[in-house]
Amino acid sequence: IGPTGVGKTEIARRLARLADAPFLKVEASKFTEVGYVGRDVESMIRDLTDLAINMLRSSHSESVKEKASRIVEERLLDILMPPPPKRKRPKKTKIKSDPESDEEEDKQPQKPEEIIDDIIKEEEESFARTREKMRKNLKSGKMEDKFVNIEVKNSVIPMIEVFSPSGFEEMDINFKDMFGSMFPKKSKERTVTVAEAREILMEEESNKLIDMDKVISEAIEKVENSGIIFLDEIDKIVGRESRTGPDVSREGVQRDILPIVEGCTVATKYGMVKTDHILFIAAGAFHTSKPSDLIPELQGRFPIRVELKNLGKEEFKRILIEPKNSLVKQYIALLETEKVDIDFNEDAIDEMASIACQINDQTENIGARRLHTIMERILSDISFKAPEIKGDKIEIDADYVRDQLSDIIEDKDLSRYIL
């Protein structure tokens, strides 16, 4: 429980990253009770399974990367330098002769079949040498911009996209999988650079080397034992006094979520997935409602409640500078692309944090997201003039921050629109 921008989703996302667990964030307001237009609650388990399969496919791709890159290299060499057609070597005819006449035969000129055999051998050696030179150029990156023609396989399934009804999502019918084998796979020739061709062929070869049955079984096991689903905006499905219009299905959504959270078996296109050990984290701002407004059964399924406090000035200061990709670092890097060097003083960061805190108190509290609007407003003039002030070094201090924001802060009506 906590206002927007306080870090609810980020906590869950970091938790999933630490545990190397499949993570899905989904808004509860997207779902509607079965029978109404909208998404079925079971679709979140299917989405989580898809995520886990993609996650494991990429990790398996890494394990076969070396083997796949060797195959791709050979395929690229075949495209750049097609091997010559194989010539049939002439059969050598041996004639039995006396040992005394062997010395005389050695002095005789080569037979025609021996000459042809030598020519073929020399051609093969020459081709092998040229191919090795080509391989070196390919490895050194000298040929990355050269254009080549490659054949890309694509399965043609006519009109499936047009006529597949959205209602079949609940039944999880995959028309492409169902009809894919019925239609022939067509090859399409594309002209691409060697760099692009390498990526296309790498994906193609990796898919051939990966054991998809193993990936699917591992993914389902991972989902069932360590999957995390973050149900955001849970407060938006709280039933209100009004029982007309869109509110009709709110309580129905809560009832549909119950068995998923409690533990059930969901059918996916990869097989049955049990939800008994999936970790469900529900979150909401609860501005106009409270957790006790949810139906009692759902309250019981989320026994641990954590209330996050509003972010203060100190937290804003840390958010601005501490993360690996903090806002300050992002804006410095962004203006570096225009050859403009900006430097934020400590007092400027302090001032930005206090202004963010003040605006959140005066208007709606949107948490750390307020820092985006403040940073954008402070640097809007510099960003606009960046091409003209190329090569300059600009120091941003507290006075500059106040100068850019003072008018907006004083005018509360203007502040609501701009900040």
Side-chain angles (χ1 to χ4, degrees):
I1 305 160
T4 181
V6 83
K8 301 187 292 293
T9 310
E10 192 59 29
I11 289 167
R13 193 175 274 123
R14 294 287 177 98
L15 178 69
R17 202 177 297 160
L18 288 168
D20 189 30
F23 174 81
L24 177 75
K25 181 202 176 226
V26 63
E27 283 78 28
S29 53
K30 278 185 180 178
F31 301 115
T32 60
E33 190 179 0
V34 176
Y36 291 91
V37 175
R39 297 195 72 190
D40 174 18
V41 289
E42 287 187 355
S43 65
M44 61 180 154
I45 305 299
R46 296 182 192 120
D47 291 345
L48 186 67
T49 310
D50 286 336
L51 276 168
I53 281 165
N54 290 334
M55 188 175 161
L56 278 160
R57 190 194 278 127
S58 61
S59 69
H60 279 252
S61 295
E62 284 298 314
S63 62
V64 297
K65 194 176 181 181
E66 197 176 325
K67 192 177 178 182
S69 62
R70 286 200 299 270
I71 297 167
V72 168
E73 189 179 277
E74 293 301 322
R75 282 186 68 181
L76 281 171
L77 284 168
D78 288 342
I79 294 164
L80 290 162
M81 193 180 172
K86 283 190 177 181
R87 292 192 196 180
K88 284 186 178 179
R89 291 178 184 271
K91 290 179 181 177
K92 290 181 181 179
T93 52
K94 285 189 176 181
I95 301 162
K96 287 183 180 179
S97 58
D98 297 328
E100 292 172 8
S101 61
D102 284 350
E103 288 178 15
E104 289 177 16
E105 281 181 12
D106 289 341
K107 291 173 185 177
Q108 286 177 4
Q110 277 186 310
K111 292 174 184 177
E113 62 263 23
E114 287 176 350
I115 295 167
I116 293 165
D117 194 43
D118 287 344
I119 291 166
I120 292 168
K121 198 175 179 182
E122 197 178 316
E123 280 179 358
E124 285 174 353
E125 285 173 0
S126 173
F127 177 77
R129 285 194 299 272
T130 314
R131 193 177 170 93
E132 282 308 307
K133 282 181 186 175
M134 187 79 79
R135 193 190 298 277
K136 282 178 185 175
N137 289 340
L138 197 63
K139 281 182 176 177
S140 63
K142 288 178 182 176
M143 307 190 77
E144 294 298 281
D145 297 328
K146 187 177 171 67
F147 283 93
V148 291
N149 292 329
I150 62 162
E151 280 194 356
V152 182
K153 288 177 184 176
N154 62 323
S155 178
V156 178
I157 305 169
M159 304 307 285
I160 292 299
E161 298 289 343
V162 181
F163 291 112
S164 61
S166 59
F168 282 107
E169 187 207 30
E170 282 77 32
M171 293 166 67
D172 206 58
I173 292 174
N174 192 327
F175 281 96
K176 285 188 178 179
D177 288 353
M178 191 187 293
F179 296 111
S181 56
M182 290 169 64
F183 296 97
K185 286 188 177 181
K186 290 191 176 181
S187 295
K188 182 183 173 185
E189 197 173 83
R190 285 178 62 190
T191 304
V192 291
T193 61
V194 169
E196 289 170 330
R198 188 184 278 108
E199 282 181 28
I200 294 163
L201 296 174
M202 194 75 181
E203 191 179 342
E204 205 174 289
E205 291 302 327
S206 295
N207 287 338
K208 287 180 191 173
L209 293 168
I210 292 167
D211 181 359
M212 277 311 291
D213 291 334
K214 190 182 176 185
V215 168
I216 289 166
S217 62
E218 280 181 25
I220 289 173
E221 191 185 344
K222 205 170 179 69
V223 166
E224 290 181 340
N225 295 304
S226 60
I228 298 174
I229 289 180
F230 186 80
L231 270 168
D232 204 4
E233 296 180 4
I234 197 84
D235 55 320
K236 304 294 188 296
I237 58 164
V238 171
R240 293 176 185 167
E241 288 176 11
S242 167
R243 291 289 174 189
T244 56
D247 292 336
V248 170
S249 69
R250 286 173 190 267
E251 200 169 298
V253 175
Q254 292 183 56
R255 294 197 183 280
D256 285 348
I257 290 171
L258 287 177
I260 306 280
V261 178
E262 183 66 20
C264 67
T265 305
V266 176
T268 72
K269 63 186 171 190
Y270 305 107
M272 307 303 274
V273 176
K274 291 180 180 178
T275 68
D276 300 66
H277 302 297
I278 292 175
L279 173 64
F280 286 88
I281 304 170
F286 289 99
H287 288 309
T288 56
S289 56
K290 48 192 182 295
S292 58
D293 292 335
L294 291 162
I295 60 171
E297 295 91 336
L298 192 62
Q299 289 180 51
R301 264 107 177 142
F302 292 96
I304 302 165
R305 291 185 192 174
V306 180
E307 192 171 348
L308 301 179
K309 294 176 183 174
N310 293 343
L311 297 174
K313 184 182 169 182
E314 289 305 310
E315 285 79 34
F316 284 141
K317 277 175 73 177
R318 291 182 66 191
I319 289 164
L320 280 167
I321 53 172
E322 279 187 30
K324 187 183 175 182
N325 298 317
S326 68
L327 278 176
V328 167
K329 290 171 190 170
Q330 283 185 42
Y331 276 95
I332 289 170
L334 184 68
L335 285 159
E336 268 178 11
T337 61
E338 296 283 356
K339 305 288 188 293
V340 177
D341 188 12
I342 59 165
D343 182 42
F344 288 89
N345 286 352
E346 199 175 327
D347 58 342
I349 288 161
D350 195 73
E351 188 66 25
M352 282 190 286
S354 62
I355 289 169
C357 205
Q358 184 187 335
I359 301 291
N360 272 349
D361 288 341
Q362 287 175 359
T363 59
E364 284 292 322
N365 184 5
I366 59 168
R369 293 189 178 96
R370 186 73 66 189
L371 294 170
H372 274 283
T373 52
I374 284 170
M375 287 285 283
E376 195 59 46
R377 185 67 195 174
I378 290 165
L379 297 171
S380 61
D381 287 349
I382 296 170
S383 300
F384 188 74
K385 294 173 185 173
E388 298 163 24
I389 55 171
K390 198 175 280 187
D392 288 7
K393 185 171 181 178
I394 299 163
E395 200 168 293
I396 293 166
D397 54 17
D399 292 332
Y400 183 86
V401 172
R402 278 192 291 268
D403 185 49
Q404 293 292 315
L405 300 174
S406 57
D407 296 341
I408 301 163
I409 295 165
E410 285 168 16
D411 189 340
K412 287 183 183 178
D413 291 331
L414 191 62
S415 142
R416 285 177 188 275
Y417 283 100
I418 295 173
L419 297 178

